Amino acid sequence: MAVSVVPRYGRGTGVPNPVDVHVGKRIRTRRLFLGMNQETLASALGLTFQQVQKYEGGANRVSASRLAATAEILGVPISYFFAELPTANAEVSLKDQALRERLERPETIELVRLYYAIPDSTVRRQFLEMVKAVAHSSGQGR
């Protein structure tokens, strides 16, 4: 008699596969870093922005061909979407998880994008020093 295994995630469970969620977050992060909205990415892929929302949330899986097209549009190798993918045996500390969540926030991505948009490297360095000084004065700097 065979024992059926109930999946913890996937179709019919209401819980997306963690790999799909990770890939979706990487799509979102790169799109935001480029200053691209969902409509622009969707149009380039021949999709609706709602479909891009579903990809980014991990609700829908991105097919291999669609992922390749997305990588080309976003200017990254396909491997970018799988970078930092936690393995099943890896324990992610709460501290690491909190740091990752902060790095994925839209305002963080926008700050980095705008920082690198400053053409003068001296001005960029001065800005970085200013941010460090503010963080240290508020007790948040390291």
Side-chain angles (χ1 to χ4, degrees), residues 86-102:
T87 61
N89 297 330
E91 284 191 33
V92 179
S93 72
L94 292 177
K95 184 178 178 181
D96 289 342
Q97 184 177 351
L99 175 60
R100 182 170 291 178
E101 287 172 2
R102 282 196 307 269

Side-chain angles (χ1 to χ4, degrees), residues 1 6 16 21 31-32 36 39 48 53 61-62 64-65 70-71 74 91-93 101 104 108 110 135:
M1 184 168 156
V6 178
V21 172
R31 177 183 59 74
L32 290 173
M36 182 183 294
E39 289 180 13
T48 63
Q53 281 180 326
R61 287 188 175 148
V62 183
S65 58
T70 302
L74 298 178
E91 284 191 33
V92 179
S93 72
E101 287 172 2
E104 293 171 350
T108 305
E110 182 179 21

